[in-house]
Amino acid sequence: MTVLDDRTTAAMWPAAYPQGYAVVDVETTGLARDDRIVSAAVYRLDAQGNVEDHWYTLVNPERDPGPVWIHGLTSDVLEGAPLFPEIAAEFAARLDGRVLVAHNAMFDWQMIAREYARAESAAPVRQRLCTIALAKELSLPLPNHKLESLAAHFGVVQQRAHNALDDARVLAEAFRPSLHAAAERNVRLPLLECRPLTEWASTPTQPRIGQQSSYRAGSWRPSRKRPPCPYPNPGRYESDKPLKQGMRVAFSGDTSVDRELLEDRTVEAGLHVAGSVSRLTSLLVTNDPDSATSKTLKARSFGTPVVDEAAYTQLLRDVTPADG
């Protein structure tokens, strides 16, 4: 793949492409709708993906910091950090008029939108671009869609994974050649609309490392038709081992993370979302394993492994490549 160089960008750059980008990464107390941001970083880029400046801040979430073993930010570190309303204006200035770029952009945008809604404001963002979606548009030969795989493809060295500033730097460095490759081929960028939240009902939160947040009633939705998983099914999940691409994963009951987002992450990891449980199902994810739903009953009869949502989201962070 040939990438445009600086001498040809001005003449060949697609006129419809955005005029600026804000590459964003946020670290959070968890993945649910009531979780909070604990750190945020923004790299501002010009139209061709060149870095203009960068910004980073800690944020006091006013609650338990969640998975410290992932982001490394303890309650003591965050105690003196500013509250989100205190950094909201500076954050907004970094985003204003730009396309928000993130790895799994739906998640970052939802967390940011909820923080602004709590602060009775809105982020000045109208469009977002997910670098996972862009990698798919470019058909990049990645073993999976983790940030580390995208970085390795472009020779970007990651120094501190799950540090917002370093993750944003890595993504900015990997986004520029992706953007240039798209421009060279005149690929339509996978831009999506960012809709700010217009209201927020505050609910009390309790420190809950390892616990589930309250589930939302009435969250059922019809399953979406998805393309077939490109990897063969390697069989059932085994406890204390990682998930492997191609495994068939079924979900039952309410989840604290939006179900579509959880399913999207499953597909992006190279796993198959199963609409039902059969003898071929590798794993059932449910927060109520003792319920009498058809999926949990079938899982018991087939001996299908069952894990809860919290355990599953941790397993999604380290899915091994398919054989061959």
Side-chain angles (χ1 to χ4, degrees):
M1 180 183 297
T2 304
V3 179
L4 295 173
D5 60 34
D6 293 335
R7 293 169 295 181
T8 57
T9 53
M12 300 177 61
W13 204 259
Y17 275 25
Q19 294 303 301
Y21 304 89
V23 177
V24 172
D25 186 77
V26 297
E27 296 298 320
T28 66
T29 61
L31 306 176
R33 70 186 303 273
D34 63 335
D35 276 301
R36 306 296 302 272
I37 290 175
V38 294
S39 64
V42 181
Y43 268 73
R44 289 195 290 191
L45 312 181
D46 66 15
Q48 283 76 44
N50 301 303
V51 174
E52 295 178 331
D53 59 28
H54 64 268
W55 172 79
Y56 170 76
T57 184
L58 297 176
V59 182
N60 186 337
E62 302 181 275
R63 51 157 293 172
D64 184 272
V68 174
W69 61 91
I70 295 175
H71 54 60
L73 300 174
T74 64
S75 295
D76 289 343
V77 171
L78 296 171
E79 184 177 3
L83 304 179
F84 187 86
E86 297 172 334
I87 59 95
E90 178 66 15
F91 200 174
R94 302 279 168 173
L95 302 174
D96 193 18
R98 296 170 185 266
V99 171
L100 184 149
V101 177
H103 204 64
N104 195 356
M106 181 191 299
F107 172 75
D108 290 81
W109 167 246
Q110 287 182 340
M111 294 302 299
I112 292 168
R114 287 168 186 155
E115 289 287 8
Y116 274 98
R118 290 185 189 97
E120 300 182 348
S121 183
V125 177
R126 297 296 171 261
Q127 290 180 308
R128 67 179 185 269
L129 188 157
C130 180
T131 47
I132 294 174
L134 181 56
K136 292 179 179 178
E137 289 287 337
L138 296 173
S139 299
L140 298 182
L142 305 177
N144 53 54
H145 294 291
K146 295 180 181 180
L147 176 58
E148 63 190 55
S149 297
L150 182 67
H153 177 76
F154 289 112
V156 180
V157 178
Q158 189 162 30
Q159 298 170 349
R160 295 180 62 193
H162 301 298
N163 171 275
L165 183 60
D166 195 58
D167 281 353
R169 175 192 62 81
V170 168
L171 189 58
E173 292 184 19
F175 175 63
R176 184 175 186 274
S178 299
L179 181 63
H180 282 233
E184 180 188 36
R185 293 159 48 183
N186 203 24
V187 171
R188 183 175 179 271
L189 297 180
L191 300 175
L192 294 176
E193 181 183 3
C194 287
R195 297 182 180 180
L197 298 179
T198 56
E199 60 183 34
W200 179 262
S202 297
T203 55
T205 57
Q206 299 294 329
R208 52 173 179 79
I209 290 181
Q211 299 178 12
Q212 297 297 315
S213 63
S214 59
Y215 306 123
R216 301 184 301 282
S219 60
W220 179 89
R221 62 166 62 86
S223 60
R224 294 183 292 171
K225 185 175 178 59
R226 298 179 180 276
C229 181
Y231 309 109
N233 184 357
R236 289 184 171 177
Y237 165 73
E238 297 180 41
S239 180
D240 299 326
K241 291 186 178 180
L243 296 170
K244 180 176 286 189
Q245 289 181 329
M247 284 186 170
R248 298 175 64 89
V249 180
F251 298 90
S252 178
D254 286 336
T255 53
S256 56
V257 177
D258 182 87
R259 175 65 68 83
E260 287 191 5
L261 177 57
L262 196 58
E263 291 180 353
D264 285 344
R265 288 179 175 165
T266 299
V267 172
E268 288 159 4
L271 303 170
H272 175 92
V273 174
S276 60
V277 173
S278 71
R279 296 185 186 278
L280 298 177
T281 304
S282 306
L283 181 68
L284 175 66
V285 179
T286 178
N287 289 309
D288 190 5
D290 296 323
S291 65
T293 66
S294 62
K295 289 181 182 178
T296 55
L297 291 175
K298 286 183 178 180
R300 288 177 209 156
S301 66
F302 296 144
T304 304
V306 177
V307 301
D308 66 16
E309 180 187 356
Y312 181 65
T313 55
Q314 293 301 316
L315 289 169
L316 273 182
R317 296 178 180 272
D318 187 26
V319 178
T320 59
D323 295 331

